[in-house]
Amino acid sequence: MNSIITLPDFESLARAAAEHLIKLAREAIEARGCFAVALSGGSTPRGAYALLATDELAGQLDWSCIHVFWGDERCVPPDHPDSNYRMARQALLDHVPLPAENIYRIRGELEPEEAAAQYERTLRTFFSASPEQTVPEFDLILLGMGDDGHTASLFPGSAALHERNRWVVASCVDKLGAWRVTLTPVVINSAANVTFLVSGAGKAESLRQVLTGPDQPDHLPAQIVKPDGARPLWMVDGAAASLL
């Protein structure tokens, strides 16, 4: 089952997403003194990040208790225009009092397999994982969805969709001719909260197929997101939801 919230437009979606993150962060910090979030790339979350950077919303959070990770990254340097880290830094991280040591980027400038292995070590250290620990537990993982149904860097036909042991893998996206580093389904589905942010009419047909069509995650990777502890939350704008 999925939980779906439809907002009238992009601006409403961005604000709702920002307020959703604030709510979960404050709850986690009050309960455990820490909030671990994995950010998504893309234009839709960028709107939410920009709002979180405003004085109105940034002041509602204790940034010293927030730890920022990424769900995936392109294999490019951190200052490259395609870098998910660069986007989040410019939209949000440069504008809030988040300690530098609380930012855990995927090192896309490394060889893909090395970057994936290093990021998994980073996660295991942060979550104090033993070698036999099977899952980390993020408080929130933000995800987008492509018009082909991909999410994070889990693309149709990707071997990463069937990974059951590793937390992070490198994946070559053949249709793009590019390498990515991505969290695997085992990590995504262990999060306390998983939230998709989807906007635009171009996503409407894929969203309809993902939410109402047959279960075929090899074809529509977003369908593999089935968190153990909760239903995934879909926050979508009216254009993306037009075929539901």
Side-chain angles (χ1 to χ4, degrees):
M1 287 291 294
N2 296 280
S3 180
I4 306 167
I5 297 175
T6 303
L7 289 306
D9 50 37
F10 177 87
E11 291 75 17
S12 301
L13 171 59
R15 175 161 287 274
E19 292 174 348
H20 174 64
L21 185 148
I22 288 171
K23 175 179 179 292
L24 294 178
R26 293 177 70 167
E27 290 174 351
I29 292 168
E30 182 177 355
R32 297 179 301 282
C34 174
F35 176 68
V37 58
L39 301 182
S40 170
S43 58
T44 305
R46 183 186 180 97
Y49 302 160
L51 283 174
L52 285 167
T54 62
D55 291 342
E56 175 197 358
L57 298 187
Q60 298 184 34
L61 290 171
D62 182 350
W63 291 94
S64 69
C65 297
I66 294 175
H67 297 263
V68 174
F69 298 81
W70 276 262
D72 72 317
E73 183 58 278
R74 297 170 174 88
C75 290
V76 296
D79 57 353
H80 191 282
D82 292 340
S83 166
N84 287 340
Y85 163 76
R86 179 178 184 265
M87 183 275 279
R89 180 176 58 78
Q90 291 184 336
L92 172 62
L93 305 180
D94 281 351
H95 311 287
V96 295
L98 181 70
E101 61 269 24
N102 289 14
I103 300 172
Y104 309 83
R105 72 175 181 90
I106 298 170
R107 298 192 175 276
E109 70 274 21
L110 302 178
E111 288 297 314
E113 295 290 350
E114 182 182 355
Q118 183 180 103
Y119 208 57
E120 177 153 342
R121 289 194 296 270
T122 295
L123 294 183
R124 288 185 176 276
T125 298
F126 178 82
F127 289 102
S128 299
S130 58
E132 64 273 11
Q133 183 172 338
T134 56
V135 292
E137 296 178 2
F138 278 98
D139 295 298
L140 172 63
I141 295 179
L142 290 175
L143 295 172
M145 188 195 71
D147 56 13
D148 60 356
H150 86 266
T151 190
S153 283
L154 301 170
F155 283 81
S158 171
L161 290 164
H162 302 281
E163 179 61 47
R164 295 295 179 267
N165 297 309
R166 288 179 294 173
W167 294 5
V168 187
V169 297
S171 179
C172 184
V173 184
D174 291 336
K175 73 174 186 177
L176 301 177
W179 282 88
R180 304 281 187 92
V181 173
T182 185
L183 299 184
T184 61
V186 69
V187 174
I188 295 170
N189 287 329
S190 71
N193 298 277
V194 179
T195 300
F196 285 89
L197 306 179
V198 185
S199 66
K203 308 285 181 69
E205 176 57 27
S206 290
L207 184 65
R208 183 189 68 79
Q209 292 183 34
V210 167
L211 294 179
T212 67
D215 191 39
Q216 44 185 353
D218 276 305
H219 178 59
L220 296 166
Q223 290 182 330
I224 207 164
V225 178
K226 299 172 182 177
D228 298 331
R231 294 182 297 175
L233 173 63
W234 292 78
M235 304 184 79
V236 303
D237 68 5
S242 61
L243 298 180
L244 296 179

